[in-house]
Amino acid sequence: MMNLTDVELMAQISSLSGQAKQAVIAEQLTECDQLLIQRQILIEQLVKLENPAQSPSTRTFLIQLMAADQTQIAALKNTKSALESQQIINKRSAKSINRYLTIKQF
């Protein structure tokens, strides 16, 4: 693999971030995992190439990336919570239906 510049790495990282976000929206979680692993490898390469402590542009990029990730994590947690609530409602509804059917059988 050829050596990439910091700008090229940041562009690829941004692209992978966007693709991962779309994979989440499409509920393609396995693909999302693979994209995030690729992104992690590129982030590690970027940190090795440009020390964030000494490179303001790299540091700014990584901070923005972390902020975007935190926003997406919060949204996913909200979605998870809503799904868990819906599962509880569905279980209760199923129990009620089963009770009703049991009563109707007699």
Side-chain angles (χ1 to χ4, degrees), residues 84-94:
E84 287 171 343
S85 294
Q86 188 61 44
Q87 284 178 330
I88 290 169
I89 291 169
N90 288 345
K91 285 179 183 178
R92 287 180 185 157
S93 296

Side-chain angles (χ1 to χ4, degrees), residues 52-65:
Q54 297 173 356
S55 174
S57 63
T58 301
R59 182 174 47 247
T60 300
F61 174 77
L62 292 173
I63 289 170
Q64 290 171 343
L65 195 62

Side-chain angles (χ1 to χ4, degrees), residues 1-5 8-9 12 42 45 49:
M1 184 172 158
M2 65 179 197
N3 290 336
L4 299 173
T5 66
E8 292 169 326
L9 283 169
Q12 287 187 8
L42 293 179
Q45 289 176 9
L49 180 67

